[in-house]
Amino acid sequence: QVQLVESGGGLVQAGGSLRLSCAASGRTFSSYAMGWFRQAPGKEREVVAAISWSGGNTYYADSVKGRFTISRDNAKNTVYLQMNSLKPEDTAVYYCAARPIATIILRSPSLYDYWGQGTQVTVSS
């Protein structure tokens, strides 16, 4: 069983920055594919960014490309999402997700086995 705990959400003005963290349990974190997703009220959960087990490959949704950066520290069992130039449309609950023993980037939420509880990000205009 893998447990994921997100932190770092909050209220920020448009143009501001936040860094989300997701701490994972498990002794084989370095073999997990990881992703960040978000879900706004009345909308489906969507991928924001994903990262391969080594951190060498990343994927970003077009809506966040150039503003968000996903990274991971396998020594700390943690994945990060640095969010810059935030916009009101970035407001959502952000979730991290993990799939153990996966060496490629996974974009679909249905491919992930474990989810965190979510952290609220609110961007005011």
Side-chain angles (χ1 to χ4, degrees):
Q1 191 76 5
V2 176
Q3 292 186 324
L4 303 173
V5 179
E6 300 104 335
S7 61
L11 173 64
V12 63
Q13 289 188 332
S17 298
L18 285 173
R19 188 174 85 153
L20 305 184
S21 299
C22 173
S25 65
R27 299 172 63 182
T28 57
F29 176 77
S30 60
S31 71
Y32 299 173
M34 299 295 297
W36 284 99
F37 293 79
R38 67 186 181 187
Q39 189 166 17
K43 295 188 176 181
E44 292 187 355
R45 191 168 296 190
E46 62 176 1
V47 63
V48 175
I51 191 166
S52 62
W53 64 277
S54 66
N57 292 298
T58 57
Y59 166 82
Y60 296 95
D62 287 343
S63 58
V64 306
K65 215 172 277 185
R67 301 188 297 123
F68 290 11
T69 302
I70 188 171
S71 61
R72 65 189 296 161
D73 185 339
N74 286 343
K76 295 183 178 180
N77 280 19
T78 302
V79 64
Y80 304 97
L81 185 67
Q82 178 67 45
M83 305 186 295
N84 299 328
S85 302
L86 282 160
K87 305 175 180 180
E89 51 264 43
D90 294 318
T91 295
V93 178
Y94 283 70
Y95 299 89
C96 71
R99 172 151 177 178
I101 320 298
T103 59
I104 60 174
I105 293 175
L106 303 174
R107 305 181 190 180
S108 171
S110 64
L111 296 176
Y112 286 85
D113 298 317
Y114 300 100
W115 293 83
Q117 81 287 354
T119 185
Q120 177 70 46
V121 171
T122 302
V123 184
S124 63
S125 57

